[in-house]
Amino acid sequence: MDLIECKKMNKNYQNGKIEAQILKEIDLTIHTSEFVGITGPSGSGKTTLLYVLSGLEKPSGGTLSLFGKPIGDYSETDLSELRKRRIGFVFQFYNLVPNLTVRENMMLAWIIGKNQDETIIDELLQLVGMKEFQNHYPNQISGGMQQRIAVARSLINDPEILFADEPTGNLDTKNGKDIMELLRKLHRENGKTIVLVTHSDDYLQYCSRNIKLVDGMIVKDEILSL
Amino acid sequence: MVVFLTLTLSMTLTILILGMNNGFSQIFYHQLQDPYLNVDMTLTYDSNSESRILNKRGLTERYSAYYRFAACFFNYYSLIGSGDDPGYYAQVFSGAVIDLENLIDTDLGVLNDGEMFVTRSMADKHGLSENDTVRLYVSGSEVPYRIKAILPDRGLFAGEAVFVNKVELLQRLFSLSGLSNLGNIVYIDLIDPAQADTVSGLLSEDPDYSGFVAAPTADPLVIKMITKNTSALFIGVGGITLIAVLVVLNSVFPLLFQDFRQQIGIIKTLGGDHRFSLSIWLTQFLLMSMGAVPLGIYLAWAVFNQGAAILGIQSVIRLGGAVVLVSLAAYLLFVGGEVLIRFRRLIRQSGVALTYDHRHEWVRGGFIVLGVSGILFVVQKLTEAFSEPVNALLSMIFGIVFCFTLCDFLASMIGAGLSRKKQKSLFGLFGAQNLRSNKIVRSSLRVAMISIVVIALNLTVRSFIEADSMTLKNNVLADYFLTNIVDDPVAVQTQISAEYDVEAMQDAIIYRYISMDLSQDETPRRRRAVFFISLPPENMDAFFDYEFDSGVLEKLADTQTPYITVSEGVGKIYGLKVGDEVVVELGRDNPQMTFIIAGFIHTNYHGIVFSNLYRLEAFANAGMANTVIIKNGDDETLKPGLMAKYNARLYYLVDFQELFAEGMDEIFLVMDFMSLLAYSIVIGFVIVIINNSLLLFYSLKNDYAKLKILGLSPTGLAGQLGREVLSITIIAAFCSFLALCVLIPHLGPLMLFATFYKTIPWDALSTGWRTLAAAGVLIFSYAFYLHRVLRLDPITEIKTY
């Protein structure tokens, strides 16, 4: 099934009088259970592409459909609902709420998702190996641990697709690999569709597909053998 | 922008409070002086003496070197009729045309007998035109005058007023000709370097003029007294406002330092010296202050001058160099102090630690301060070991500190309570945590609380001034005082009752503007009473509605010992108690007399004094009764009749209701000015609240962005924000209400520091309403905050994390 489809999609940013075209004529489709790695040099538009594909930003031109519905047909409330139920996010800088404990950060997403069963929090903490740290605050755990929490939080509402923007960018090699292994596990064992932005080609080994951007255009879109 | 606005407002409010005395002083000076134009002093009759007419010749012969002109007028109020209009009252100025020219600094033409000038105000009000005939009542007869010219209102010749030739008028009144030197007031324009005080002193020792009153037009003592009285009303409000300004300034710094600490950390890790960091920061504040300070000064200047314009003052009110310098010093001291203290804390941390995000730092509860301040407040109220103003000040300080820390305590407790609830909610998790531990949220709460207190306090004072002014009117039941009766007032009563149907009359002794020496030790402490009244106490209720201390009325019936009673406020201001002696000067025609304080009048009007002089046997045959107090029925002919009949005898009819109305016009004008001041402070704090909500927004926007990304809908977010705003408002309003309950009853005693006193009544309901009104402002101002959060672009926040 096609989860995301875009045709001749553009994205521009206005900076005063200057308009910069970040994405140019993007044609791509994300299918269910893909693990897509988006790579490219700095400033190529990788993160912008991620934000547009996830509905966090709207395209300036072309078409974009999320879950079979054009992006223009989604209201703000609909997009909130998407982020609540069908989309999860992991960011480079974790974006945990600093004055909530690990468990409370998980609970935040759980409450927003209007979930009933609190055991899912325990399960996810167990999955990412952070159960014993659930009463710690973010500034009391390492970056790698925080990122694992961020991953767990993104899964709380069992989303269909997970968007990860350089999730290892702030981590050392070992922690980075641990996160990637976690994502691989989610992809293989849980069938999650993952769209990952990374600056490191080393992490492509975890991906089933590589899309390479240069200067806002797709220069390569290839299936990778896992 | 937020910081710049906060700094500007802080400067403005500081100058308004510290410059209040100076501003009032100038305003009242101009209010008194401006109508007199070039006139520096007046020489006129003592209203408490029998002499009503003075002769200018002595001035011309002996004092001409001191003045440019001495315009001798005979002025009085008279009934005037025109057309079908039976009559209205206007001030009659009579003198030589040259005198009027000097008085109003305007060239005029010739004015013949039978002609008059009228003011534009009077002409407009009564539809008069040039060449119209008006009827002036002189010695019981109607005398026709032709309007020669209508003059624009200028100086003293303003309002409803006419001008006629004095010689002609005095001839009609006294059947004597050539009386150009006679009059009842002389307006004198002194030549530099002659001073009004000096010339007044010379005249008071001159046998021809010692029985008259020579005074500067703008008496510095009067100005000082009015200024002090007016400023005193704001002493409590001013103090609280200054504290609020400090709290507001303090609230700005955590946000600024949030970014700055990371900058310092990076500079440190790059090898930079921390002094370099400090210089950057101080430069930043200096640059902002270079805009904020002048703008703040200008805004304060604008408030005072707008207030002056309300009072019809054309002159420019200056802030005063000292006021600006002191305000600037206070501002720099505080801002500089905050920067240095916080900077010193920062540089003790490692460069790496400084680069961490410290937006959410645990806030300690301050429970010890809460407990100690509460205990101190209770102990203070129970013991009251110091003087009344000091007790009031201590109670206010302990009470405010308690309420402030209570704010923090409640936020902590509510936050903790909600966090522990088993049934989790977004507010219980997210909002409660912010209440519990977010420094910026706590600071915002304190600013909200103090802003509500300042707004409600200003509304209270404004409301009190209005209500207090009406009380004066309600306390006097009489309609008229026919005063300056030099013959038998009982006979006058008989005449009046024969012709008119009045409800009640009483002969009495009434002196105005009496000087009293209230000192109980070596320090001279003089005060003027506006009304010194003595009448049979058993008839007091018919004409006055005052409440006295128990036993006072009995003493006012005493025939042997001279007793006096003054207002409670005067008693507190001068530390008087029952049995103390007071020396009273009952005008130039009477000797000084010593009275004993019988007790106090329960009134906020400090200008009234009662005594038993009427009853004293020692003065039974002295003929001191000089007034008939009249309570009219519905007879509308009474006033014009009395004026027509007794003007010629130079009896003075005081229409108390009209006097009150005139006085009230002035009081309302002053009230309008004070309202402007109060509302400026209120508006300032409304802006502070809005500003503060923006600070809160900047602090929390990143967290709100996370909520949006997690899928919180706009409705959900609005609901969350609504609960947060409501919780902050409820906590702030509750603590503010408690603070106001402590502050308002102590405002009166606090004024004793300024040797003034007013009992400001406190009632829970009014205080509650005003707190709610101010809290409503708070909620309204958060609308902008809500709007900003709802329109937040989460990606922009995530990117700039």
Side-chain angles (χ1 to χ4, degrees):
Chain A
M1 178 187 156
D2 295 342
L3 294 177
I4 300 170
E5 187 181 358
C6 58
K7 286 192 173 122
K8 300 215 181 300
M9 186 193 61
N10 302 308
K11 177 65 182 173
N12 305 329
Y13 280 122
Q14 193 84 21
N15 187 4
K17 287 185 181 170
I18 301 167
E19 190 171 9
Q21 192 171 23
I22 307 300
L23 298 174
K24 302 165 189 170
E25 304 285 308
I26 302 291
D27 288 314
L28 75 86
T29 306
I30 307 288
H31 307 286
T32 308
S33 297
E34 282 191 310
F35 191 147
V36 181
I38 300 175
T39 57
S42 284
S44 58
K46 305 187 294 294
T47 300
T48 305
L49 178 60
L50 192 84
Y51 291 156
V52 174
L53 291 178
S54 64
L56 281 174
E57 298 216 25
K58 298 254 171 88
S60 305
T63 62
L64 171 68
S65 296
L66 301 179
F67 303 99
K69 188 172 163 187
I71 190 71
D73 291 352
Y74 283 97
S75 64
E76 273 306 312
T77 305
D78 293 336
L79 288 172
S80 300
E81 203 57 28
L82 266 189
R83 290 196 290 270
K84 202 185 297 184
R85 302 260 172 254
R86 305 182 83 171
I87 293 174
F89 290 94
V90 179
F91 294 96
Q92 182 178 356
F93 290 103
Y94 333 128
N95 280 326
L96 299 177
V97 178
N99 62 337
L100 298 179
T101 62
V102 163
R103 188 177 183 86
E104 286 169 345
N105 267 284
M106 297 287 291
M107 189 148 285
L108 199 60
W110 181 82
I111 291 169
I112 290 172
K114 294 191 169 84
N115 291 287
Q116 301 298 318
D117 182 10
E118 209 174 313
T119 58
I120 185 70
I121 296 175
D122 298 296
E123 286 169 16
L124 285 169
L125 285 173
Q126 192 70 41
L127 175 68
V128 299
M130 289 298 295
K131 189 115 194 274
E132 63 184 289
F133 297 98
Q134 62 180 317
N135 292 321
H136 284 61
Y137 286 91
N139 63 358
Q140 294 172 329
I141 55 178
S142 71
M145 291 175 171
Q146 290 186 57
Q147 194 62 293
R148 280 194 255 166
I149 300 300
V151 171
R153 185 182 64 180
S154 71
L155 298 170
I156 205 115
N157 297 312
D158 196 22
E160 290 170 50
I161 182 167
L162 201 63
F163 289 92
D165 181 16
E166 307 228 30
T168 61
N170 225 28
L171 304 175
D172 56 69
T173 311
K174 184 194 178 304
N175 278 309
K177 277 192 172 157
D178 288 345
I179 292 299
M180 291 308 297
E181 284 296 336
L182 182 58
L183 291 175
R184 173 188 270 172
K185 191 175 172 185
L186 290 170
H187 172 239
R188 284 188 177 167
E189 293 176 22
N190 301 83
K192 295 293 176 198
T193 306
I194 300 175
V195 180
L196 168 84
V197 163
T198 180
H199 61 273
S200 169
D201 287 348
D202 289 345
Y203 293 129
L204 286 176
Q205 62 179 288
Y206 298 92
C207 304
S208 66
R209 178 179 171 191
N210 171 226
I211 294 171
K212 185 169 182 179
L213 286 181
V214 174
D215 292 335
M217 290 191 294
I218 296 177
V219 298
K220 183 164 70 177
D221 184 353
E222 63 176 355
I223 303 295
L224 304 172
S225 52
L226 291 171
Chain B
M1 187 61 191
V2 167
V3 174
F4 177 78
L5 201 54
T6 304
L7 295 176
T8 304
L9 276 175
S10 302
M11 190 69 197
T12 303
L13 290 167
T14 305
I15 293 176
L16 280 179
I17 300 301
L18 295 180
M20 205 180 288
N21 215 54
N22 172 63
F24 281 146
S25 176
Q26 288 184 66
I27 282 168
F28 293 134
Y29 169 80
H30 286 293
Q31 202 181 16
L32 288 175
Q33 175 61 43
D34 285 2
Y36 285 90
L37 298 177
N38 297 320
V39 175
D40 298 305
M41 63 179 289
T42 59
L43 177 67
T44 187
Y45 59 90
D46 182 346
S47 60
N48 301 315
S49 80
E50 294 179 12
S51 307
R52 279 291 188 270
I53 303 292
L54 56 83
N55 191 323
K56 182 194 151 183
R57 179 176 294 142
L59 285 176
T60 313
E61 288 171 356
R62 297 190 288 280
Y63 302 98
S64 57
Y66 291 97
Y67 60 79
R68 195 166 295 113
F69 70 77
C72 185
F73 281 74
F74 181 79
N75 296 345
Y76 68 107
Y77 280 87
S78 180
L79 198 61
I80 290 180
S82 58
D84 296 328
D85 194 331
Y88 43 86
Y89 294 97
Q91 188 172 15
V92 177
F93 285 78
S94 71
V97 173
I98 181 69
D99 286 335
L100 184 63
E101 286 181 343
N102 283 326
L103 186 66
I104 63 174
D105 197 20
T106 304
D107 290 328
L108 304 165
V110 171
L111 188 74
N112 299 311
D113 290 351
E115 291 178 340
M116 67 167 39
F117 295 132
V118 304
T119 57
R120 170 56 61 193
S121 292
M122 182 162 154
D124 288 346
K125 187 170 178 185
H126 301 285
L128 301 173
S129 307
E130 285 180 11
N131 296 313
D132 280 354
T133 300
V134 298
R135 304 180 295 277
L136 182 66
Y137 283 82
V138 181
S139 294
S141 309
E142 282 186 7
V143 178
Y145 277 85
R146 184 179 74 86
I147 296 177
K148 172 75 184 288
I150 296 171
L151 305 179
D153 287 34
R154 184 166 164 77
L156 290 171
F157 194 61
E160 290 196 72
V162 303
F163 176 84
V164 297
N165 274 319
K166 182 179 63 176
V167 171
E168 182 206 358
L169 180 69
L170 289 179
Q171 169 132 29
R172 290 183 188 278
L173 281 172
F174 303 117
S175 302
L176 292 169
S177 58
L179 300 176
S180 58
N181 276 328
L182 297 188
N184 59 9
I185 186 164
V186 181
Y187 301 102
I188 304 171
D189 176 13
L190 296 173
I191 300 173
D192 285 335
Q195 296 290 318
D197 285 344
T198 311
V199 177
S200 299
L202 292 171
L203 290 172
S204 68
E205 287 176 7
D206 189 316
D208 285 347
Y209 301 113
S210 59
F212 296 93
V213 176
T217 47
D219 190 338
L221 286 175
V222 169
I223 293 169
K224 193 175 170 186
M225 192 183 81
I226 303 173
T227 301
K228 188 185 73 176
N229 293 353
T230 315
S231 299
L233 280 168
F234 274 89
I235 195 172
V237 172
I240 298 297
T241 305
L242 280 177
I243 292 171
V245 167
L246 293 177
V247 170
V248 166
L249 272 178
N250 182 262
S251 73
V252 166
F253 286 91
L255 184 69
L256 286 172
F257 269 82
Q258 183 178 296
D259 291 330
F260 190 49
R261 72 185 308 142
Q262 288 178 315
Q263 291 170 18
I264 294 176
I266 292 165
I267 290 169
K268 256 186 152 178
T269 49
L270 288 174
D273 187 83
H274 60 260
R275 278 172 292 207
F276 172 70
S277 312
L278 179 62
S279 70
I280 294 173
W281 236 59
L282 283 177
T283 306
Q284 186 179 334
F285 263 108
L286 203 62
L287 285 171
M288 272 197 287
S289 298
M290 279 171 67
V293 166
L295 184 57
I297 293 171
Y298 170 74
L299 287 173
W301 177 89
V303 168
F304 277 121
N305 279 277
Q306 183 58 36
I310 286 172
L311 291 168
I313 294 168
Q314 310 289 331
S315 310
V316 171
I317 305 299
R318 282 179 272 278
L319 290 176
V323 165
V324 173
L325 281 174
V326 169
S327 303
L328 185 61
Y331 168 89
L332 289 174
L333 194 68
F334 187 77
V335 168
E338 277 272 356
V339 169
L340 287 170
I341 289 170
R342 287 175 189 265
F343 184 77
R344 283 179 70 81
R345 274 191 220 143
L346 288 186
I347 58 172
R348 280 191 221 122
Q349 298 179 42
S350 72
V352 173
L354 286 171
T355 59
Y356 296 156
D357 178 21
H358 288 260
R359 273 172 297 175
H360 298 277
E361 285 186 356
W362 283 102
V363 180
R364 305 216 189 289
F367 307 121
I368 295 172
V369 176
L370 179 72
V372 167
S373 59
I375 290 168
L376 284 174
F377 177 79
V378 170
V379 167
Q380 163 58 33
K381 290 305 290 180
L382 289 174
T383 59
E384 302 213 317
F386 305 97
S387 65
E388 196 167 351
V390 172
N391 285 334
L393 182 64
L394 289 174
S395 295
M396 288 168 92
I397 290 171
F398 296 144
I400 277 281
V401 170
F402 177 80
C403 292
F404 244 18
T405 45
L406 182 67
C407 229
D408 269 351
F409 177 77
L410 285 176
S412 276
M413 290 295 107
I414 291 170
L418 285 170
S419 308
R420 282 190 210 113
K421 273 179 71 173
K422 277 204 170 153
Q423 186 75 20
K424 295 292 181 197
S425 68
L426 185 59
F427 179 69
L429 183 63
F430 185 74
Q433 276 292 40
N434 281 331
L435 269 181
R436 199 175 160 198
S437 63
N438 187 303
K439 239 189 208 177
I440 310 283
V441 171
R442 292 293 192 83
S443 175
S444 176
L445 188 55
R446 280 193 289 272
V447 170
M449 184 217 146
I450 199 71
S451 299
I452 292 175
V453 168
V454 170
I455 291 170
L457 209 55
N458 274 282
L459 293 176
T460 301
V461 170
R462 166 72 178 76
S463 172
F464 162 74
I465 292 168
E466 189 172 353
D468 194 48
S469 306
M470 293 312 295
T471 305
L472 171 62
K473 179 180 177 184
N474 296 336
N475 285 147
V476 177
L477 305 174
D479 295 303
Y480 307 113
F481 300 160
L482 183 63
T483 190
N484 195 41
I485 297 172
V486 297
D487 38 30
D488 182 7
V490 175
V492 171
Q493 282 185 73
T494 308
Q495 291 167 11
I496 294 172
S497 58
E499 285 184 53
Y500 303 98
D501 185 20
V502 297
E503 195 177 312
M505 272 193 295
Q506 172 65 53
D507 60 309
I509 300 171
I510 296 184
Y511 293 119
R512 296 186 68 189
Y513 303 109
I514 291 299
S515 178
M516 302 187 292
D517 181 356
L518 302 171
S519 42
Q520 302 302 308
D521 51 31
E522 300 300 316
T523 316
R525 307 181 80 188
R526 305 195 71 83
R527 185 180 181 89
R528 268 194 339 173
V530 179
F531 294 103
F532 177 101
I533 301 175
S534 184
L535 72 160
E538 60 272 15
N539 294 340
M540 181 84 71
D541 287 346
F543 303 101
F544 298 99
D545 181 18
Y546 281 112
E547 202 184 312
F548 297 89
D549 279 351
S550 125
V552 165
L553 286 177
E554 288 76 15
K555 287 179 184 164
L556 290 182
D558 192 295
T559 59
Q560 303 301 318
T561 307
Y563 284 108
I564 196 170
T565 175
V566 297
S567 70
E568 276 180 311
V570 168
K572 283 185 190 287
I573 292 167
Y574 295 93
L576 300 172
K577 52 186 187 309
V578 174
D580 282 348
E581 288 184 355
V582 169
V583 178
V584 179
E585 289 172 21
L586 297 171
R588 284 171 171 74
D589 294 345
N590 297 311
Q592 285 187 350
M593 274 187 71
T594 301
F595 291 81
I596 308 245
I597 297 281
F600 300 101
I601 316 169
H602 301 177
T603 177
N604 263 342
Y605 179 58
H606 302 323
I608 200 158
V609 159
F610 288 95
S611 93
N612 65 337
L613 185 61
Y614 182 96
R615 274 279 154 81
L616 289 176
E617 267 182 22
F619 295 91
N621 300 317
M624 296 195 84
N626 62 351
T627 300
V628 173
I629 305 176
I630 304 167
K631 192 169 173 189
N632 194 8
D634 295 321
D635 193 343
E636 290 183 0
T637 64
L638 177 64
K639 182 177 177 180
L642 288 178
M643 289 195 77
K645 190 181 178 74
Y646 295 109
N647 266 355
R649 297 192 213 177
L650 300 178
Y651 292 179
Y652 184 44
L653 184 71
V654 175
D655 179 337
F656 188 78
Q657 300 304 323
E658 211 173 77
L659 183 73
F660 176 78
E662 280 171 15
M664 280 311 294
D665 283 344
E666 201 162 301
I667 289 172
F668 279 129
L669 276 179
V670 173
M671 233 164 60
D672 283 345
F673 170 72
M674 290 165 84
S675 295
L676 176 72
L677 198 63
Y679 288 136
S680 297
I681 295 173
V682 165
I683 289 169
F685 275 90
V686 168
I687 296 173
V688 159
I689 290 171
I690 294 173
N691 225 25
N692 190 59
S693 70
L694 284 175
L695 290 178
L696 194 62
F697 168 74
Y698 289 132
S699 159
L700 294 176
K701 60 181 178 168
N702 193 273
D703 289 343
Y704 286 125
K706 290 167 193 165
L707 293 183
K708 274 190 159 183
I709 288 180
L710 286 173
L712 188 62
S713 66
T715 316
L717 185 58
Q720 169 69 13
L721 292 170
R723 283 183 208 95
E724 282 182 16
V725 167
L726 201 59
S727 60
I728 288 176
T729 305
I730 289 171
I731 296 171
F734 175 71
C735 295
S736 304
F737 176 74
L738 286 182
L740 287 164
C741 292
V742 169
L743 291 172
I744 293 171
H746 291 103
L747 285 176
L750 198 70
M751 291 181 209
L752 289 170
F753 281 119
T755 58
F756 187 69
Y757 186 88
K758 287 271 189 186
T759 304
I760 298 186
W762 170 83
D763 82 273
L765 194 62
S766 303
T767 304
W769 282 122
R770 288 188 193 112
T771 306
L772 280 177
V777 168
L778 185 67
I779 291 179
F780 172 76
S781 67
Y782 273 113
F784 188 56
Y785 166 72
L786 292 175
H787 172 75
R788 292 291 296 264
V789 174
L790 290 172
R791 287 177 60 89
L792 185 66
D793 175 14
I795 287 302
T796 309
E797 286 314 307
I798 299 301
K799 281 181 187 172
T800 55
Y801 177 93

